[in-house]
Amino acid sequence: MTLLPILVLALGTYGFRVAGPLLSERLKLSARVQERMALATIAMLAALVATSTLLVQGGFAGWARPAGVLVGAVLACLRLPFIGVVIAAAASAAGLRLLGVP
């Protein structure tokens, strides 16, 4: 019963992945469109980070998680090693939750 939707999704995903290399030589985009697509990618990633940081089950996630993400963003801007950024962000969020901050 659930195998059919999984197969359809797998074929669709494979089709999208194959379409990129096959169409990249046929489809020529202007520099303006390529620039806009790069900006759209950044906007989509920012929206994904914002929604996953601020929302849980349709409600506000609390202040600990956004604070942890903020710590991670600041440390990433300072170009610290990725593992250090992740550990510091997780530790700050966990520390705030330990102190009772939701």
Side-chain angles (χ1 to χ4, degrees), residues 8-60:
V8 169
L9 285 173
L11 287 173
T13 302
Y14 185 75
F16 275 114
R17 298 192 106 193
V18 168
L22 291 177
L23 295 177
S24 67
E25 294 182 11
R26 291 184 178 185
L27 187 63
K28 298 294 180 195
L29 299 175
S30 67
R32 182 177 173 202
V33 171
Q34 289 180 354
E35 180 181 318
R36 304 271 183 204
M37 289 178 70
L39 292 175
T41 303
I42 294 170
M44 286 191 301
L45 288 173
L48 178 65
V49 168
T51 55
S52 63
T53 299
L54 299 174
L55 299 176
V56 170
Q57 296 176 351
F60 182 57

Side-chain angles (χ1 to χ4, degrees), residues 71-97:
V71 168
V74 169
L75 295 178
C77 285
L78 295 174
R79 298 187 181 263
L80 266 63
F82 180 71
I83 189 70
V85 170
V86 171
I87 289 173
S92 62
L96 286 173
R97 287 187 178 140

